[in-house]
Amino acid sequence: MINPLRGMKDLTFEDSARFVYIITTAIEISKRYGYEYIETPILEETALFRRSVGESSDIVGKEMYQFEDKGGNDVCMRPEGTAGVVRAFVSAKLDRQPSTQKFYYYGPMFRYERPQKGRLREFHQFGCESFGEASVYEDFTIISMIAQIFDALGIGYELQINSLGCENCMPPYKENLVAFLTDIKEALCEDCNRRIVTNPIRVLDCKNTNCQALLQDTPKLIENLCTECDSDFSKLKDLLNNANMSYEVDTNLVRGLDYYNKAAFEFVSNDIGAQSAIAGGGRYDKLVEYLDGRATPAVGFAMGVERMMELVQMPEPSRGGIYLGTMSPEAIDTLLPLAKSKRLREQVTVEYQAKKLKAHLKAADKIGAKVAAIIGEDEFANGTIWVKDLESKEEKTIPVEEF
Ligand code: HAM
């Protein structure tokens, strides 16, 4: 028997119902905010992720499903969705249009991480990217939209926010940070030592408890923001306060991808174990330019569907659809055209085998049908059909063409 690869899962039965419910709810809500569907390839040139997610990130450094294809091209299974959407945005020259443009997407992402609870090698994201709006109101709106999606799905969360500054305030801060970290580098772990050189901001994110204790007194970027970043971050906090949305400012929230600036945020759940982030995102105003487009401010997020599947509260199943059956083999020819016309509007299940009434009713009940419609021998002779509403228990026999 051949099993799926480690860290990859089949989506079946109850799981697939949860998956579809999450995606359809997220689509419905994001459409109300003006997002339209975008689909980009799963396989992209490796250079795309190197330039966007960043050489020094774990995703690019250690976790890519990267290989040479038969034509000798260096390609990679997408580890996240933003880079592909930005590439598509630039490829279609949408960066030359003056209006705001918003896209939603969902699908599989691939990261060669060590699998554990909540961490897969193939997982699914639902994400949104908004282009062309520099205002902090858009950051607030996108955070509100994520909250609305979680609320609709009955998923509890905590919101963490931070500001990652901009090209004016980040470089001097980085210098300060490197000086601070260099002084304590002997006591920091190997990963931190590597990051001091490759990506010092990521040191703040180290999960090692010893390092965390040593990092307590590091200079904080939010205390060193430039006037514009500081005022945007204050405005974001005001907007969240006014909307009665609770949040925590986490100065160590740096995100694992290099393209962010200004607002960064994560939604976390305390009910799913160590891998607690259920959505993450932020502003990435320079990425369109890095990928050869015209300067376009942008903000977006992605949610982890498998993690949400652990938390989602499914609505009570309600009865729906029609079950069609016969008690005599000849009547099947009447059922098929009937099923076809009913399927224009409703879900129909047809049982091809002639059976006793009791067996039909049991089967209709098992699939949760609302109506069972059966043609018995008498009904077949008279051109009628016996119909039972399985909710109200009402029964009637009517001419087939009236059903
Ligand atoms: P990310 O934080 O890397 O952001 O991933 C977003 C979400 O995907 C996480 O919060 C988590 O729920 C889920 N996730 C990540 N890795 C795994 C995994 N190995 N197994 C299961 N779930 C996982 C991004 O990917 C950015 N592209 C988000 C973004 C969009 N920023 C701006 N626009």
Side-chain angles (χ1 to χ4, degrees):
M1 190 173 73
I2 299 173
N3 289 313
L5 295 173
R6 200 159 115 77
M8 303 198 177
K9 276 212 295 208
D10 299 313
L11 257 183
T12 48
F13 311 115
E14 217 213 317
D15 274 353
S16 68
R18 284 170 184 265
F19 182 92
V20 171
Y21 180 61
I22 290 170
I23 300 294
T24 47
T25 305
I27 291 177
E28 198 182 303
I29 294 175
S30 56
K31 277 185 172 169
R32 290 185 213 155
Y33 286 74
Y35 287 82
E36 284 174 50
Y37 184 57
I38 188 167
E39 170 92 30
T40 64
I42 288 171
L43 208 56
E44 296 268 9
E45 262 183 59
T46 303
L48 171 66
F49 302 107
R50 288 200 189 289
R51 265 161 75 181
S52 53
V53 177
E55 293 281 357
S56 61
S57 67
D58 284 352
I59 295 179
V60 169
K62 308 189 208 161
E63 298 168 2
M64 292 215 286
Y65 275 85
Q66 182 188 356
F67 56 94
E68 201 177 286
D69 72 6
K70 289 187 169 47
N73 305 299
D74 183 0
V75 297
C76 171
M77 311 268 277
R78 64 180 181 196
E80 58 103 53
T82 311
V85 173
V86 174
R87 186 205 42 67
F89 179 80
V90 175
S91 301
K93 300 192 170 49
L94 298 178
D95 54 330
R96 296 177 191 188
Q97 293 187 11
S99 56
T100 317
Q101 292 167 77
K102 303 178 185 199
F103 304 100
Y104 76 82
Y105 54 90
Y106 60 94
M109 308 291 159
F110 301 83
R111 297 185 190 174
Y112 198 85
E113 297 187 80
R114 196 171 49 78
Q116 64 178 79
K117 184 173 162 16
R119 194 203 272 156
L120 292 157
R121 288 181 172 169
E122 181 186 17
F123 60 98
H124 295 76
Q125 287 185 343
F126 175 88
C128 286
E129 314 294 349
S130 164
F131 295 98
E133 184 53 82
S135 161
V136 67
Y137 288 102
E138 188 69 353
D139 306 9
F140 167 73
T141 303
I142 223 165
I143 291 174
S144 309
M145 181 173 96
I146 302 170
Q148 188 175 339
I149 294 173
F150 286 141
D151 289 344
L153 295 168
I155 296 178
Y157 55 81
E158 277 170 25
L159 167 62
Q160 300 172 344
I161 59 169
N162 192 19
S163 174
L164 297 175
C166 69
E167 61 204 340
N168 297 322
C169 46
M170 182 52 108
Y173 168 73
K174 236 184 217 170
E175 256 176 52
N176 268 343
L177 181 66
V178 171
F180 178 93
L181 296 174
T182 309
D183 281 349
I184 56 164
K185 73 187 232 195
E186 247 89 278
L188 292 172
C189 74
E190 217 176 285
D191 263 355
C192 285
N193 269 280
R194 189 172 42 80
R195 285 180 174 146
I196 294 175
V197 184
T198 58
N199 191 354
I201 307 294
R202 284 302 309 279
V203 174
L204 300 175
D205 196 25
C206 181
K207 300 288 178 282
N208 182 315
T209 38
N210 181 44
C211 295
Q212 272 309 327
L214 292 163
L215 294 169
Q216 291 284 324
D217 300 325
T218 45
K220 306 276 180 264
L221 176 58
I222 53 167
E223 287 158 15
N224 294 281
L225 292 172
C226 64
T227 322
E228 188 188 305
C229 288
D230 191 44
S231 115
D232 273 0
F233 195 54
S234 302
K235 183 76 193 171
L236 178 61
K237 288 187 287 182
D238 286 347
L239 291 166
L240 292 169
N241 290 334
N242 292 342
N244 284 326
M245 289 182 67
S246 49
Y247 61 86
E248 188 195 320
V249 175
D250 179 355
T251 51
N252 291 343
L253 176 71
V254 295
R255 311 272 304 127
L257 309 96
D258 288 355
Y259 46 63
Y260 294 108
N261 65 318
K262 291 196 171 174
F265 52 80
E266 269 182 14
F267 284 73
V268 296
S269 161
N270 295 322
D271 301 322
I272 47 168
Q275 299 305 316
S276 59
I278 47 176
R283 193 159 265 292
Y284 54 94
D285 294 327
K286 295 288 161 200
L287 187 55
V288 177
E289 249 174 304
Y290 281 155
L291 296 178
D292 305 320
R294 287 192 185 163
T296 308
V299 55
F301 73 90
M303 5 180 90
V305 181
E306 282 80 1
R307 293 185 192 171
M308 293 164 74
M309 282 164 60
E310 298 271 310
L311 298 162
V312 61
Q313 310 210 355
M314 296 288 281
E316 282 294 312
S318 58
R319 287 193 172 275
I322 301 170
Y323 173 98
L324 284 183
T326 71
M327 293 163 71
S328 67
E330 313 84 71
I332 186 71
D333 292 343
T334 315
L335 282 194
L336 292 180
L338 193 58
K340 186 177 176 198
S341 73
K342 283 289 175 194
R343 279 180 175 140
L344 295 175
R345 254 170 244 103
E346 282 179 90
Q347 183 189 343
V348 178
T349 304
V350 182
E351 172 54 62
Y352 302 133
Q353 296 294 324
K355 286 184 182 171
K356 295 216 165 89
L357 182 62
K358 208 167 157 196
H360 279 310
L361 288 176
K362 204 168 157 194
D365 189 51
K366 194 164 170 212
I367 62 163
K370 182 169 185 306
V371 170
I374 314 294
I375 302 184
E377 268 162 31
D378 287 352
E379 285 84 5
F380 185 55
N382 300 332
T384 56
I385 186 163
W386 178 83
V387 182
K388 179 167 183 178
D389 185 316
L390 297 172
E391 235 162 36
S392 67
K393 312 282 180 227
E394 228 173 87
E395 302 174 15
K396 60 188 174 186
T397 301
I398 51 172
V400 170
E401 45 305 341
E402 282 176 26
F403 176 57

